[in-house]
Structures are given as structure tokens and as C-alpha cells.
Amino acid sequence: MAEYKQIHKVEVEKKPFKLTKKMIALLVIAIVLVVGVITAYIVTADKDGYTSSVKDGSTEVISGDVSVTKKGLYEYLLDNYGANEVLNEAYNKITAKEITDQDAIDAKVKEQKNRYAEYSGSFETYAKNQGYSNAKAFEKEVVVPEAKSELLEEKYLDTEFNDVCKKYNVSYLKIVEYSKESDALKALKTVTNADAMTALMNANSSTDLGFVCSKSSTTTVDKKIIKALSKFTSLKTDGVYKEAVKLSTGKYAVVYVYNTDKNAQKNDIVENLLNLGDVKTDIESYYLKKYKFTVEDKKVKKQIKKISSKYVD
């Protein structure tokens, strides 16, 4: 019978650590590439040891000019993959508790499989290219967890939609640029409605920026526009912003704010938000905290904090 341990009130299956030929081969390659570094690591591993350990740690799995023990290999794997594995295992258990609608899961899995099939001609080919012996194993180990994770993200953004929009200053913007502030102010007065803005855009250098938020790239959106987003989001109805905005280029912009009814654009906004790494981190940290995620091993905890300080206290 499988043994379980409790992590943040999420049951995580405790599996015995097994050294596989693949793991050993990976370590051998690493040693060949950086013998000095690996040797130094194995010598000092005891000082920086983990709370957990592997049975028969002193047993050598590689011997000769460079010797590697089970403990050395175990800690090497923890150093390189431990934090991600702990997070993945915990989060997979959380998604399993939060996402239980099998029809929704099946639909999302089908969508994911079709997406993967586009890359390699078929889902089966893609699975094999990822090192899996068959597509079923890839589906179970990768696609299903991904599908549940995506559904959980959508669930969060559905319930926390207004707060997330406010936090990231979600806006839809159109701008017309002018070299002189006086010209921009003059043009601003002519924008009395959407049609007037369209006419102004057609006659001048203009851009429909579409979805913009505080995490938008400054390569596509001027940083002064991003800085002023909180002012634009204060508009409750579509219309032109009352001032000409000075851009980082020295030019001035007439800014038209549209799609101010965020709920009417919910699907598009959610799709855009899910492309932002910060939003995904917010969602993951929310659920990790909800299930009281804690890490007792100080070294693994430190590694997790390097990924994101939001994941653990």
C-alpha cells in the first residue's frame, strides 16, 4: 500500500527514491563535462546536506577516477530538480482537489492534445519526441496535469476577475501621436466620440494598442503609457483621456480608452492575462497558500524561493 505524507493539507504520495540508469547516465555526462565542479560538490555535499536522505547513501554507483555515491547522486538531483519536483507534486495534488469536472477535464485534454499534434504531425509523434514510450503515458503524466492546471487558472480568473483587472490596470487603448503638445491638445478637443477618434487616427500617425496592462512589454507600449494606466482605468465609459500624455520619445499622445466594460471583454482579457508569467505566479501562490504549503527542508525551501518568493513564507 502506498505511503502518504501531508503537505499543506494536500496528500502527496511518498515514493521511494530509485536510481535509474537514465539518472546515472545524466550524472556521468555532467561529470565528463565538469569533473572538477562535480568532484568538489560531492566532497562538500555533507556540509550542505538535505533533511531527507537516500537509503545506503555511501554505496558507490560510479567508481574509478571519479567516484559517486548514492547520496552524492541523490543530492545532485535535488540540487537541479528538487524544488520544481516538490512544487509540481504539491500543485498537481491541489489541482486534483480543485478541478473535478471530468467533462471539462476531458475537453481540455482533447484541446491540449490537438495543440501538441500541430507541432509534430500527430500527438503520438510528439509524445515520442519528448522521450515517452507511448502517448498514453505522456497524456497521463503531462497532458492531464497541464489541463487541470489550466482549468484552475481559468477558475481563479473567473472568480477574481475584477480584482485582477484592477491590480494589473487592464485597459484597451488607441493613441494618436503629435510632435507638439499644442497640436495634441487641439486634436484632443475634437474627439467627442468613437467615430471622431477613428477619423483622427486615419488622418494621423496612430496605433490601436488593444489590450494593455501594467506588465505589457515596453517594446510594444511606450513606458509612459504604462505608467499612466491607473489614470486611464479611472474612466468608467469609453472616451478620450483629458490630457495629452508625453511619451518617452518626446512626442505627445491623444489617448482614447475603450472597452471600459471589462465584463463584456472577459474572455479576451482572461486569455491575455494567462499569457503573463506574473499572473500565473499569483494564481499558483494563491492556491499554495490556500492549502498551507510549507517546506521543512531549508535547502529545498531556499531553492523554491529562488523560483518565486511568493510560493513559501
Side-chain angles (χ1 to χ4, degrees), residues 281-298:
T281 298
D282 284 349
I283 296 171
E284 290 163 358
S285 60
Y286 170 84
Y287 284 105
L288 288 169
K289 284 181 172 61
K290 177 180 177 179
Y291 286 91
K292 297 179 171 58
F293 178 67
T294 55
V295 179
E296 300 302 329
D297 191 302
K298 292 181 179 179

Side-chain angles (χ1 to χ4, degrees), residues 252-266:
Y252 292 84
V254 172
V255 179
Y256 188 83
V257 184
Y258 66 105
N259 286 347
T260 49
D261 181 359
K262 301 293 193 302
N263 286 306
Q265 308 299 322
K266 192 169 185 176

Side-chain angles (χ1 to χ4, degrees), residues 35-285:
V35 172
V37 175
I38 295 298
T39 303
Y41 165 73
I42 292 172
V43 170
T44 60
D46 287 339
K47 292 182 180 178
D48 307 319
Y50 293 89
T51 302
S52 60
S53 62
V54 62
K55 186 178 179 181
D56 299 327
S58 60
T59 302
E60 291 186 353
V61 292
I62 301 174
S63 59
D65 292 338
V66 176
S67 61
V68 179
T69 63
K70 276 188 176 183
K71 181 178 185 294
L73 177 55
Y74 175 67
E75 295 191 350
Y76 170 80
L77 293 171
L78 277 178
D79 276 346
N80 289 276
Y81 310 108
N84 280 318
E85 284 302 314
V86 169
L87 286 170
N88 287 339
E89 182 73 8
Y91 204 66
N92 285 344
K93 295 298 179 183
I94 290 170
T95 58
K97 284 182 172 290
E98 290 281 339
I99 305 300
T100 57
D101 183 340
Q102 194 58 49
D103 289 340
I105 294 170
D106 291 343
K108 185 64 71 173
V109 166
K110 183 178 180 180
E111 180 184 316
Q112 297 278 58
K113 288 172 69 174
N114 289 338
R115 190 181 305 164
Y116 282 126
E118 292 177 0
Y119 296 129
S120 303
S122 72
F123 177 68
E124 290 72 17
T125 300
Y126 186 89
K128 289 182 179 179
N129 289 343
Q130 298 305 305
Y132 287 82
S133 58
N134 60 75
K136 281 292 182 183
F138 181 66
E139 180 178 331
K140 179 181 179 181
E141 295 177 28
V142 177
V143 181
V144 173
E146 280 184 351
K148 290 181 180 179
S149 180
E150 193 168 315
L151 287 168
L152 186 58
E153 290 169 352
E154 292 171 1
K155 176 182 177 179
Y156 175 87
L157 289 177
D158 182 56
T159 56
E160 304 294 328
F161 181 72
N162 292 328
D163 288 340
V164 176
C165 285
K166 185 177 180 180
K167 177 178 180 178
Y168 288 97
N169 289 318
V170 170
S171 302
Y172 285 82
L173 307 175
K174 297 176 181 179
I175 64 170
V176 179
E177 297 181 24
Y178 293 89
S179 297
K180 296 179 180 180
E181 183 179 17
S182 57
D183 290 339
L185 291 172
K186 183 178 179 180
L188 191 153
K189 293 178 182 179
T190 69
V191 183
T192 55
N193 53 45
D195 289 339
M197 184 62 182
T198 299
L200 190 67
M201 291 179 71
N202 290 337
N204 297 275
S205 175
S206 61
T207 307
D208 185 346
L209 294 173
F211 173 92
V212 181
C213 73
S214 58
K215 295 298 179 179
S216 291
S217 171
T218 54
T219 60
T220 55
V221 182
D222 191 282
K223 62 183 179 181
K224 293 291 184 67
I225 293 291
I226 294 175
K227 188 176 181 179
L229 280 175
S230 60
K231 297 176 181 178
F232 306 147
T233 56
S234 65
L235 273 67
K236 303 304 180 185
T237 57
D238 295 6
V240 68
Y241 181 60
K242 62 183 180 180
E243 299 174 2
V245 178
K246 187 175 183 179
L247 304 177
S248 60
T249 59
K251 291 184 177 182
Y252 292 84
V254 172
V255 179
Y256 188 83
V257 184
Y258 66 105
N259 286 347
T260 49
D261 181 359
K262 301 293 193 302
N263 286 306
Q265 308 299 322
K266 192 169 185 176
N267 290 340
D268 185 67
I269 292 173
V270 167
E271 183 179 346
N272 279 284
L273 287 172
L274 286 176
N275 289 325
L276 300 175
D278 288 70
V279 172
K280 287 180 176 290
T281 298
D282 284 349
I283 296 171
E284 290 163 358
S285 60

